[in-house]
Amino acid sequence: MKFSTQRTFNGIFTTINPVINKKRITMDGKVIPEIRQDGSKIYYGDFSDSHNGFYINDKIYLRIPWGRLNVTDPSSFMVLDDNKKYQSLPIRDKFNVVKTDGFVISGIIIQDEKVIDIFPGKDKIQKLIYKWKGWDTPSYRERLKKSYYIIKDAFAKLK
């Protein structure tokens, strides 16, 4: 499953493929190629692992981290705004931070090249803006990560 977290006004999917490490040449001339990450792909699996982004169980459950939506501060609705002034290195894009009015969330289910369902709407996508509640103090709950037991067992063997 792929999604676009880039600001678009025409509804066309845009792949996000950020550079994680830029291309480098070492002092002895060895070329280290750039590394890019597919920021548009989400992986199937229940939410027991932070790597998984969606699963289906009578409904479609979708989890997208704030950072992949270019949200810099979800408590105050601040997001990155890239005006795409520059498209290539060495000149770099300049990012601004702006307050968002929310997100337009839509989805189309296609099977065998036929539209099965449209969300939200019946015949065409309706523009509905989703805005969450802001906050001053974040809520949280503690949990043990999967690696906790691996580390616990390793330290127990050191005795």
Side-chain angles (χ1 to χ4, degrees), residues 39-95:
S40 299
K41 188 171 186 176
I42 56 175
Y43 297 92
Y44 181 81
D46 64 22
F47 294 163
S48 63
D49 186 337
S50 62
H51 183 69
N52 300 329
F54 80 100
Y55 69 95
I56 300 170
N57 184 6
D58 295 329
K59 297 178 185 176
I60 298 173
Y61 295 86
L62 182 64
R63 176 176 67 183
I64 305 170
W66 290 115
R68 288 183 94 176
L69 295 170
N70 291 332
V71 176
T72 60
D73 181 3
S75 68
S76 61
F77 314 107
M78 301 306 285
V79 297
L80 285 178
D81 183 32
D82 181 4
N83 63 14
K84 297 281 185 200
K85 184 174 180 182
Y86 305 107
Q87 294 291 327
S88 62
L89 296 173
I91 300 173
R92 302 287 301 233
D93 278 351
K94 294 183 180 178
F95 296 102

Side-chain angles (χ1 to χ4, degrees), residues 22 24 48 54 94 97 135 155:
K22 68 179 185 174
R24 299 187 192 303
S48 63
F54 80 100
K94 294 183 180 178
V97 179
W135 62 83
F155 277 112

